Amino acid sequence: MSDPGVLSFTHQGWEQVLAKVKRALVYLDAACAESLHWGCGSTRLLEAVGGPACHLREFEPTAVGGGAEQPKAVFVLSCLLKGRTVETLRDIICRSHFQYCVVVTAVNHAVHLTANHVPAAAAAELEGQQPVFEQLEEKLCEWMGNMNYTAEVLHVPLLLAPAAPHLALTPAFASLFPLLPRDVHLLNSARPDKRRLGSLGEVDATALPPELLLQIRCLVSGLSSLCEHLGVREECFAVGSLSRIIAADLANYAPAKNRRKTAAGRASVVFVDRTLDLTGAVGHHGDNLVEKMLSVLPQLPGHTNDVMVNMVELTALHTEEENWNAVAPGCLAQSSDMAGKALWEALLNTKHKEAVMEVRRHLVEAASRENLPIKMSMGRVTPGQLTTYIQLFKNNLKALVNHCGLLQLGLATVQTLKHPHTAKWDNFLAFERLLLQSVGESTMSVVLSQLLPMIKPSHQRTKDDYCPEELLILLIYIYSVSGEFTADKNLGEAEENVKKTLAQVFCEESELSPLLQKITGCDSSINLTFHKSKIAMDELFTSLRDVAGARNLMKQFKSVYVPGNHTHQASYKPLLKQVVEEIFHPEKPDPVDIEHMSSGLTDLLKTGFSMFMKMVPQTTLA
């Protein structure tokens, strides 16, 4: 096992699963499939299963059950074993012929006790016992039709999808998003008048709905397991309202208290609300090839962090649009291909120009090792040049197999460089820079007026114009980077003009994208009236106002906007960069916006920010 880290944490978890899957049908939910995808790859799981047939299936209510020749099943799930998840388990098992069922959950037993409303005092007395898992084991046998059959329920912390040695994703929590000011009204609707909340700053765990609290506890459970693997006693810090609740829950998480007493190392975990800075999430400021790949290539189905790479070019099929689904797509994750993995990590950490040259270098070296007839060329790297190198592998099965991961990343690079949206990247970047200048010099109404002529219906748009989804991205950018602004007398009129124009554009779309369907509540443009569209726009702009005011409660991190002067243009300074600079600045006093969440009386006696000293900072975006 390598040194403790996110990769070894994920590998260790999957090794526990792999030990159970021999000759089994394996059902995975989407989040666990994504963890496997980035952590060790489906090939590793198939090898552990053994046998000639593919035994991987998606965990869903309509999943195919097991036949008489398939007596064993393993279910790998990222969620609580409760509600619809248990119903789906029952349905699959009842229509199968299983005699041996293993259920793996990424959520530990302590959280299951919380979900079943077991008081903390009673839960403490159950240490070492797992009654919820034991009851489910009995149910599994009942559903299999024989109480003498074998059933196991166990916890394995499959929290992370490690995209790189120092970058891990949490796919099971892709939908966990910080609260906005408008959410306070929803929370207040369930509270008596005397206990009404005045702002997000007053929101604590007791104010949250039970479903959200459980989701937070599931995340905390996984993070605690990670800290245990790393051998550290964590100190929790937060920037933002939801982050404060998560950090406090981790700091006071009862199952972690004994672990912290014996931990050899120390670490600081900083949670940051993403809503405090959405500029970075939607902007086109980065000079990074991976950012462009993730933006323009189609999403890999069922995944939140990977894309599809068209592999038809390496086959004998004609490269026509209808052949797209005839060949399994490639992807960016190369967990089982060491050369591909090395290239992927290089792409993550280099600028666009250097990244494209790195792709060429890897292709040239691979072709040379396979003695392929490569013709060297220097100078600027073009998509055509890379395509020529890639096609050298086309009719050589051994070379294809040896360098499959590298070729997927090579084709991803070519398809990104040739993609029409990549050409529009410069348009986005230019307009965002113009917006940055306007934010400092003009009112919000003037900035919105600059956007208005760019909102065009589908029959008037060219390939260089912005589609509705891209216009929404620009609006989020405008409101997030502006932050709290003064409402001038023309703002209401400017917003109303943008709302009406966007509402009309939505109505005239020939087909509504999934995003527009979600925003408007209509699955077809035929059913979308202007009235419905306008109501959706009013809701959207309420959320945009909340995004602009997300940093209102901050005292130090109130802005991500750096005004220009006679020597420098106005610029965007990411909130996360500001937080890290504060942490490592040796002379600054304790910052008021980075809150230390104590886990007991002794921690209350310590000074907050000074606790960063002699610790290893880890940062988590909430």
Side-chain angles (χ1 to χ4, degrees), residues 311-505:
M311 303 298 291
V312 172
E313 207 160 323
L314 284 173
T315 71
L317 293 171
H318 296 295
T319 52
E320 297 172 358
E321 192 64 34
E322 57 265 27
N323 290 329
W324 167 253
N325 293 319
V327 178
C331 59
L332 302 179
Q334 302 300 329
S335 53
S336 56
D337 184 308
M338 298 313 294
K341 201 171 182 179
L343 175 58
W344 166 247
E345 290 171 16
L347 299 184
L348 279 172
N349 294 300
T350 54
K351 291 187 177 293
H352 178 96
K353 184 178 179 180
E354 290 81 1
V356 175
M357 293 177 69
E358 193 71 9
V359 173
R360 178 175 68 177
R361 183 178 71 80
H362 275 75
L363 287 171
V364 168
E365 290 179 359
S368 299
R369 282 196 295 273
E370 298 293 341
N371 295 317
L372 299 175
I374 192 162
K375 293 181 180 178
M376 290 295 295
S377 58
M378 302 302 289
R380 191 170 71 90
V381 183
T382 65
Q385 182 189 98
L386 295 179
T387 301
T388 301
Y389 294 157
I390 290 168
Q391 288 183 337
L392 292 173
F393 296 81
K394 184 172 181 176
N395 297 315
N396 188 323
L397 181 59
K398 178 174 173 290
L400 272 172
V401 171
N402 289 344
H403 305 284
C404 186
L406 172 60
L407 294 171
Q408 289 176 61
L409 292 173
L411 282 170
T413 302
V414 170
Q415 289 160 27
T416 299
L417 296 176
K418 292 170 68 175
H419 201 283
H421 285 181
T422 302
K424 195 184 282 187
W425 193 276
D426 292 336
N427 295 346
F428 266 107
L429 186 57
F431 188 64
E432 286 165 9
R433 284 177 176 167
L434 176 64
L435 285 172
L436 283 175
Q437 305 311 312
S438 299
V439 165
E441 299 167 1
S442 310
T443 61
M444 177 61 86
S445 58
V446 172
V447 174
L448 289 175
S449 298
Q450 292 176 330
L451 184 68
L452 193 59
M454 302 164 66
I455 306 174
K456 298 178 181 179
S458 56
H459 65 274
Q460 292 181 13
R461 290 199 298 265
T462 67
K463 62 181 178 63
D464 294 324
D465 290 318
Y466 296 105
C467 68
E469 293 88 343
E470 291 167 338
L471 291 166
L472 296 179
I473 286 172
L474 286 174
L475 280 168
I476 294 170
Y477 185 95
I478 290 169
Y479 279 79
S480 181
V481 78
S482 297
E484 188 178 13
F485 53 82
T486 304
D488 64 282
K489 61 180 181 179
N490 298 318
L491 179 60
E493 182 183 349
E495 283 190 333
E496 199 61 29
N497 288 336
V498 173
K499 287 182 198 176
K500 288 179 179 178
T501 309
L502 271 175
Q504 189 60 46
V505 165

Side-chain angles (χ1 to χ4, degrees), residues 238-250:
V239 183
S241 55
L242 187 67
S243 289
R244 185 172 63 250
I245 294 169
I246 297 173
D249 201 50
L250 178 56

